[in-house]
Amino acid sequence: MSKPVVSSPLRRAFPLVAILLLTACDAPQLLPPDARLPDGSTYSGDIQDGYFHGEGVQEFASGMVYTGQFQEGYWHGDGELESPAGWHYEGEFQKGTMSGQGVIEDDGSRYEGEFRNGEFHGEGRYEAGGSVYIAEFEDGEPVEGKHVTDYGTYEGEFRDWYYHGEGSYAFTGESEDLGSLTGTWEFGEFVDQEEYVAEAPVPEEPALFTETILVEDRRRLNNQIESLAPEQAEAADAYFLAVGGDGTESVFMRDIQVAKTGLQAQFDVENRAIMLLNHRDYETFPLATRPSIASALEALDAQMNPEEDLLVVHLVSHGMQNGQLLLQQPGIELPNLSPQDFAEMLEPLNVRRKLLVISACYSGQWIEPLKDEDTLIMTSARADRTSFGCGDDSEMTWFTKAVYQSVGLSLADPDAMFEDINQQIRTWEEEIGMEESNWSYPQSHVGENLRKWLSQMSQTTP
C-alpha cells in the first residue's frame, strides 16, 4: 500500500496558497468561516482567534478532503482524510500529521495501528497482497514481528521490508513438511544454510502479485539499459536519468516527460535516457526504487566518457521535511530516497560532470551532500521551504515548468539562467497573492570546474 504524504499543518487561515501534499504554510491573516482560499481550496467550520479551531472540513482542488478536529490551525484530534488517489485514513492527528491510533486503507491494502508524523510507527497490522505483517513499525517500515503468507510465516527482524537479521521462517500449507529456516537473513536471503531443517528441496512457489510486478519491472529496466546509445567520440553527449517518485499522482509522469523534452532541445537524449516512474499504471516505465536508481546510474555511467559527457538527473516527487524524496508505488512499500543515499550511489561512478535538478519540497537539503566542483545543482525550494505544483490538478511542477519551458536550459551561463528561473517562480508566487513567508526560495550550486567547462562547450558548439 502506498504511504500517503500529508503536508505539515496549515497554521493560519489565510492565505493558504498551496495544496495539501505540497506545502506547509504559515500566514497571519484572519478569515471568516466557509471561505474559499487563493489556491481554490475551501474551509467550512469553526474559527477562533483567526485560526481554524474546532470542527471543520477542508477541501482541496486536487480532491483531497479533511474532515475533523482543528486546533490553532492544525489538523489535531480525531479526523478523516480522503484522497483522490483512492486511500482513506481515519484516526488521530497531531499538529497536522497522522499521529496516534488510526486506520488507512485503499483497494488493495489496510493498515491499523500506531502512526507518527504520517508514517506507520509503533505496533500495527498491515495487510496487502494476501499477506499480513503484525509487527513493530518505525518510520513506515516493519522492524520486528511476523509476516504471514499462504506459504509460511516469518518471525524476526526486518529491514526495508526484507527479512533481515535474526529470524525464523516456517513453511505452512502444502509445504508444511518442508520444515523451517532459522538463523540470519540478509535482504530476504537466508544465509545460514546449515540451519535448514528439512533435507527435501523446496518446490518452486507460485509468484505473488508483487513478485510478478518486480520481475516484469526488471525486464523493463533492462530493455531501457540495452537500448542506450553509445557516446560519440570527441563530442559532448548528455545522458539522462529521470525519476518520478510518487505513484499516487500522475503529475510526476507528465513532469519527467517535460524534462526529457526540454533537455532534448539541447542534447540528443532520445536513446541516452532512462525513465523511472512510480505510477498506478506500473507498466509505463520501470519503477523508481533505490535499487533501480542505482542500476540506472551504473548503466548510464558505463556508456559515458567521463572527460567529455554530462550526466543530467531530474528527480521529482513530494519531499519530506527531513529532505528525503518520497518513493511510493501503490501495492508495494518502498523506502524513500535521501540525499545521502543518492550521494552514495554517485560516489563509485566514473562520471565527473553532473547536472542535478530536484523538484520537491525541502529539496535545498540535497545541495550540501552532493555539491562539488564538477556539479550544477538546482532545487525547487530552500531546505526549510515547500515548493508548488505537485498535485494532479497541475500539468507539471512549477520548478520543472520554469527550468525546461518558461526559462529553458541555458547552460552557457548557469548563474544567469538560475536567476531567471528564480524570478519566474517569484512572479508566479506573487501572482496568486502568496505572502513572502511562504515563498519557496529555489536554491543552486555551481561548481567552478563545471562552470568553465560549460562556457568552453558553448564556445565550441556551433
Side-chain angles (χ1 to χ4, degrees):
M1 172 184 169
S2 58
K3 293 179 286 188
V5 182
V6 180
S7 73
S8 293
L10 305 172
R11 298 290 307 272
R12 290 273 190 173
F14 178 86
L16 296 176
V17 295
I19 326 170
L20 179 67
L21 306 177
L22 307 184
T23 68
C25 301
D26 293 324
Q29 304 277 336
L30 304 183
L31 193 72
D34 305 314
R36 180 171 295 277
L37 305 171
D39 67 342
S41 68
T42 60
Y43 172 77
S44 178
D46 300 328
I47 286 182
Q48 178 177 302
D49 297 329
Y51 292 99
F52 301 164
H53 191 94
E55 297 289 334
V57 178
Q58 191 158 17
E59 300 183 44
F60 296 84
S62 64
M64 186 78 71
V65 180
Y66 171 80
T67 304
Q69 296 175 320
F70 291 77
Q71 181 175 301
E72 296 182 349
Y74 291 99
W75 302 341
H76 194 91
D78 294 330
E80 296 185 42
L81 193 59
E82 191 78 34
S83 167
W87 56 261
H88 173 266
Y89 171 82
E90 182 173 359
E92 295 178 300
F93 290 81
Q94 294 180 17
K95 290 194 172 183
T97 65
M98 296 179 290
S99 293
Q101 290 290 330
V103 177
I104 189 166
E105 54 190 336
D106 60 18
D107 290 340
S109 59
R110 183 179 192 273
Y111 173 83
E112 180 173 3
E114 295 178 276
F115 289 77
R116 188 177 75 178
N117 295 329
E119 300 274 10
F120 307 161
H121 195 94
E123 294 183 1
R125 177 186 177 92
Y126 177 65
E127 304 174 33
S131 71
V132 179
Y133 291 86
I134 305 169
E136 182 76 18
F137 289 80
E138 289 184 5
D139 299 325
E141 299 176 355
V143 293
E144 188 169 4
K146 291 183 179 181
H147 181 218
V148 182
T149 71
D150 291 338
Y151 310 107
T153 298
Y154 171 84
E155 185 168 2
E157 298 173 305
F158 299 85
R159 178 177 175 183
D160 291 344
W161 293 87
Y162 291 102
Y163 305 161
H164 189 92
E166 297 302 310
S168 177
Y169 187 93
F171 292 96
T172 58
E174 295 180 358
S175 303
E176 187 171 5
D177 58 348
L178 295 174
S180 64
L181 302 169
T182 300
T184 303
W185 301 72
E186 292 184 0
F187 296 104
E189 297 291 332
F190 184 64
V191 296
D192 281 351
Q193 297 297 330
E194 70 276 11
E195 295 292 337
Y196 183 52
V197 173
E199 296 181 358
V202 179
E204 183 177 348
E205 299 174 351
L208 297 173
F209 177 63
T210 296
E211 293 171 341
T212 301
I213 291 177
L214 295 177
V215 169
E216 295 174 351
D217 188 68
R218 185 66 208 188
R219 294 195 190 106
R220 284 189 287 273
L221 179 58
N222 287 341
N223 288 339
Q224 287 202 30
I225 291 173
E226 292 167 2
S227 299
L228 290 173
E231 67 96 20
Q232 304 173 90
E234 299 182 0
D237 294 311
Y239 282 79
F240 181 54
L241 171 62
V243 176
D246 183 7
T248 66
E249 295 184 276
S250 294
V251 62
F252 302 116
M253 175 190 288
R254 299 188 292 269
D255 197 278
I256 63 173
Q257 292 169 330
V258 167
K260 183 181 179 183
T261 300
L263 186 61
Q264 180 69 28
Q266 293 205 20
F267 296 94
D268 181 10
V269 295
E270 184 59 37
N271 295 312
R272 294 185 175 91
I274 294 179
M275 309 281 279
L276 304 178
L277 176 73
N278 296 327
H279 193 263
R280 293 179 290 272
D281 179 10
Y282 64 88
E283 296 181 345
T284 305
F285 293 114
L287 297 180
T289 67
R290 294 195 306 198
S292 70
I293 293 169
S295 295
L297 288 170
E298 291 172 3
L300 294 170
D301 184 61
Q303 295 291 339
M304 298 176 66
N305 182 334
E307 299 303 319
E308 296 179 348
D309 299 337
L310 177 68
L311 174 65
V312 182
V313 179
H314 179 86
L315 305 174
V316 61
S317 189
H318 297 301
M320 318 297 282
Q321 284 185 301
N322 61 6
Q324 293 184 353
L325 197 75
L326 179 73
L327 301 180
Q328 69 170 345
Q329 169 64 24
I332 303 175
E333 289 291 345
L334 300 174
N336 296 331
L337 180 69
S338 72
Q340 294 74 22
D341 293 332
F342 195 71
E344 290 177 4
M345 295 176 188
L346 291 177
E347 197 277 330
L349 305 184
N350 294 316
V351 62
R352 285 177 52 195
R353 301 178 181 95
K354 301 175 288 293
L355 165 58
L356 310 179
V357 180
I358 304 104
S359 183
C361 296
Y362 312 108
S363 51
Q365 296 179 51
W366 284 67
I367 291 181
E368 193 61 33
L370 296 170
K371 70 179 185 180
D372 60 35
E373 291 303 307
D374 292 295
T375 301
L376 166 59
I377 307 171
M378 299 190 293
T379 72
S380 63
R382 206 168 68 186
D384 61 343
R385 293 299 178 96
T386 57
S387 52
F388 307 99
C390 299
D392 262 348
D393 52 349
S394 297
E395 182 183 2
M396 69 198 82
T397 62
W398 286 13
F399 194 63
T400 293
K401 185 175 183 179
V403 171
Y404 298 98
Q405 289 189 344
S406 299
V407 175
L409 289 171
S410 180
L411 298 178
D413 189 346
D415 297 293
M417 173 188 65
F418 191 74
E419 179 60 31
D420 290 343
I421 291 169
N422 216 336
Q423 186 55 53
Q424 179 63 79
I425 297 292
R426 181 67 45 77
T427 298
W428 290 333
E429 291 170 338
E430 290 175 343
E431 283 177 351
I432 66 169
M434 184 184 298
E435 294 289 335
E436 183 177 356
S437 59
N438 296 319
W439 290 351
S440 54
Y441 288 105
Q443 301 289 299
S444 69
H445 161 81
V446 186
E448 195 57 37
N449 292 343
L450 184 66
R451 188 198 308 275
K452 294 176 182 177
W453 183 78
L454 291 172
S455 177
Q456 293 169 358
M457 187 179 69
S458 67
Q459 295 171 15
T460 58
T461 301

